[in-house]
Amino acid sequence: MKNHKAVIFDLDGVIVDTAKFHFKAWKKLANDLGFDFTEEQNEQLKGVSRVESLKKILKWGNMELTEDEFKRQMALKNENYLSYVDQMEDDEILPGVSKVLDYLNENNIPYALGSASKNARAILHKINIYENFDAIVDGTDVSKAKPDPEVFFIAAKRLNVKPEECIVFEDSVAGIQAANNGKMLSIGIGDKTTLKEADYVFANFTEIDIEFIENLLRKEKK
Ligand code: BG6
Ligand code: MG
């Protein structure tokens, strides 16, 4: 029987609530271009790379941009997004996450970050947990976006474990699919209906007992 031996965390929406900053920055971009952008649309961008997000937004707004203008808008969005990130304090780590990280640290369970964001490293530094991770894989390391499991496969490799030995925490549908595609155990953080493809779903980390994680580190994938 294979044990789960390691954990991979998504960043945005799992460790920190940065989805609200992405929303504000994309909304400003859309509004500046002359159309609206809703929270429902933002939901569909979770786990989606910056470039793919802008393509989707332009489609929703029925707008085309030249290549240069596209690049300029992406840069503006990121600048705006980072201005919100800059104001983050290290207590902005989502409730319940530290308890889980402490448990993993105390029990020498390796864990990695597996995020689509190119800003992931800066954010981990900002909230003072960068050094805790045994491996960090972000948007600068991958060529295939979630739901492709590439980001998690690289993380597993860097942790020196097999994909099926990993537990993945994710808040996006694409991320859950990526974990499932990689034969990893998927745990959704968010809405049960939205994340119905996950092996388990919790509204947030405060709902997760350490005992539950302890058991998973012994159990095989269903
Ligand atoms: C994901 C977010 O983690 O990273 C997406 O869920 C975001 O909303 C993507 O677009 C890319 O992030 P960044 O920071 O490189 O623009
Ligand atoms: Mg996420």
Side-chain angles (χ1 to χ4, degrees):
M1 182 169 145
K2 283 174 234 129
N3 290 334
H4 290 103
K5 292 185 179 158
V7 181
I8 305 175
F9 294 89
D10 172 47
L11 176 68
D12 296 312
V14 169
I15 293 179
V16 278
D17 183 17
T18 38
K20 63 185 182 212
F21 301 149
H22 281 295
F23 175 62
K24 280 188 183 183
W26 284 131
K27 190 172 170 63
K28 180 172 173 5
L29 174 145
N31 293 166
D32 287 351
L33 290 173
F35 55 92
D36 202 16
F37 175 66
T38 65
E39 298 228 26
E40 288 70 37
Q41 288 169 325
N42 191 55
E43 196 59 37
Q44 295 178 50
L45 300 183
K46 286 187 178 169
V48 176
S49 71
R50 200 181 309 164
V51 58
E52 288 306 319
S53 298
L54 182 52
K55 282 185 194 164
K56 279 180 189 261
I57 290 169
L58 292 173
K59 210 167 168 195
W60 292 327
N62 247 326
M63 183 164 263
E64 278 181 28
L65 296 179
T66 62
E67 211 181 310
D68 282 354
E69 188 54 19
F70 188 98
K71 280 189 192 147
R72 200 179 75 87
Q73 289 296 341
M74 282 228 300
L76 278 176
K77 185 269 171 177
N78 200 46
E79 218 174 274
N80 195 9
Y81 172 69
L82 287 178
S83 72
Y84 297 120
V85 168
D86 261 356
Q87 293 159 32
M88 279 173 80
E89 305 282 345
D90 55 10
D91 62 357
E92 286 208 36
I93 184 161
L94 280 166
V97 174
S98 297
K99 170 191 74 182
V100 174
L101 297 186
D102 288 347
Y103 166 78
L104 298 175
N105 291 337
E106 283 158 18
N107 291 278
N108 288 320
I109 304 197
Y111 58 93
L113 191 87
S115 166
S117 171
K118 294 185 172 169
N119 296 304
R121 286 179 164 82
I123 292 173
L124 291 180
H125 278 301
K126 192 88 198 147
I127 55 172
N128 274 320
I129 58 169
Y130 183 90
E131 303 297 339
N132 289 21
F133 286 81
D134 298 291
I136 293 171
V137 187
D138 70 8
T140 63
D141 297 299
V142 294
S143 55
K144 293 177 222 143
K146 299 171 187 175
D148 190 285
E150 184 188 25
V151 62
F152 297 144
F153 280 165
I154 300 175
K157 199 166 180 202
R158 290 192 188 163
L159 290 177
N160 236 335
V161 294
K162 295 184 189 130
E164 62 269 27
E165 292 172 332
C166 295
I167 300 168
V168 173
F169 286 100
E170 255 294 346
D171 71 315
S172 71
V173 175
I176 292 294
Q177 290 169 343
N180 292 343
N181 288 337
K183 303 271 183 291
M184 299 176 167
L185 188 114
S186 55
I187 306 185
I189 300 294
D191 176 63
K192 278 201 162 62
T193 314
T194 313
L195 303 176
K196 57 182 180 301
E197 291 172 61
D199 291 317
Y200 299 91
V201 182
F202 296 91
N204 56 60
F205 274 88
T206 63
E207 288 198 352
I208 304 180
D209 285 337
I210 288 301
E211 255 195 328
F212 167 77
I213 297 181
E214 256 173 348
N215 284 333
L216 286 184
L217 290 162
R218 291 190 205 115
K219 254 194 238 162
E220 208 175 347
K221 185 173 167 87
K222 286 187 281 185

